[in-house]
Amino acid sequence: MIDMHMHSNASDGTDSPEQLLRNVQEAGINIFALTDHDTITGAMKMSGMIPEGIKFVRGIEFSCITLSRRKCHILGLNYDPENEAFMSALKAGEDLRHEKFFRRIDILRERFSITFTDEEIAHLLTIPSVGKPHLANMIVAKGFADNRADAIERYIDQCRTGNDKIDAEQAINAINISGGISVWAHPIGGEREPELPEDKFTDTLNELISYGLKGLECWYSKYEYAKCERLEDTAKRKGLYVSGGSDYHGANKSIPLGKLNAENIKIPDERLTIIRGVN
């Protein structure tokens, strides 16, 4: 079994790298990537923990925007973490995420009178890739919302923070230059996102290919099997690697490890050509 897209508590998952590895083993997955948002803290920790019989791939998920102002998420698989171009893109992503965090803190205080103590902010900043779920959990604890989803919808999604994503071209180039493989994650929409229309998908894909995109996440937990097959056909026509991932977040999302389509039908390993690229 293969799963090339999952998250730890270094970003917005709930499993520590240690717990995630145990869960990966229990799920029978023997090739996987840890792709936390805009950080490699969890992936680097995971690298030193892998037992024999399991193939681990260092991963990251960059939050990006294209030159035509389209948002997208780009996975980097098997990169060299010490490559100068990669480190530059990583720092850009981390800096923008921190700026977004503080803008949200300001807006929550000014617009909704939700305040955080210095100690609470310091605690949140211990998370390498602090994001919506972490703020939402604290908002719930303060009694402003019934649950995390309510806090995100009612407050955090109302905090317009402006451009907080790195250029897709920079992310793709950095991944490729570092010896990694750049993959467009959930290309027709991720969790809680509307499906991208066919024309916008095609335009965005062609734009990303012009930057040097190497792969497409065709098999994804939210997508019906038939849609995954159509994405696979597109990847083959475009000469891209076919990748697949669950987007597992532990308790933060109800997605099991290894789920690569909505029907949870097992995909033969040979169809996931990304394996050839990361070996």
Side-chain angles (χ1 to χ4, degrees), residues 8 11-15 133-134 137 148 249-255:
S8 76
S11 66
D12 55 349
T14 57
D15 294 356
H134 312 107
N137 288 340
R148 185 171 56 243
H249 280 70
N252 278 343
K253 291 184 181 180
S254 57
I255 302 170

Side-chain angles (χ1 to χ4, degrees), residues 253-268:
K253 291 184 181 180
S254 57
I255 302 170
L257 284 164
K259 183 178 182 181
L260 301 188
N261 54 82
E263 296 89 341
N264 206 13
I265 298 169
K266 179 159 174 27
I267 310 304

Side-chain angles (χ1 to χ4, degrees), residues 2-17:
I2 299 162
D3 191 337
M4 304 301 286
H5 187 167
M6 60 184 73
H7 298 271
S8 76
N9 63 0
S11 66
D12 55 349
T14 57
D15 294 356
S16 66

Side-chain angles (χ1 to χ4, degrees), residues 182-201:
S182 51
V183 176
W184 184 12
H186 38 72
I188 55 175
E191 189 74 12
R192 296 176 64 242
E193 292 179 346
E195 184 170 324
L196 194 67
E198 182 68 25
D199 59 337
K200 290 185 179 178
F201 163 75

Side-chain angles (χ1 to χ4, degrees), residues 60 113 120 122 227:
I60 189 170
S113 298
E120 288 170 332
K227 289 181 181 177

Side-chain angles (χ1 to χ4, degrees), residues 18 45 49 123 154 193:
E18 294 87 351
K45 186 174 184 180
M49 299 163 44
H123 169 71
R154 197 192 308 183
E193 292 179 346

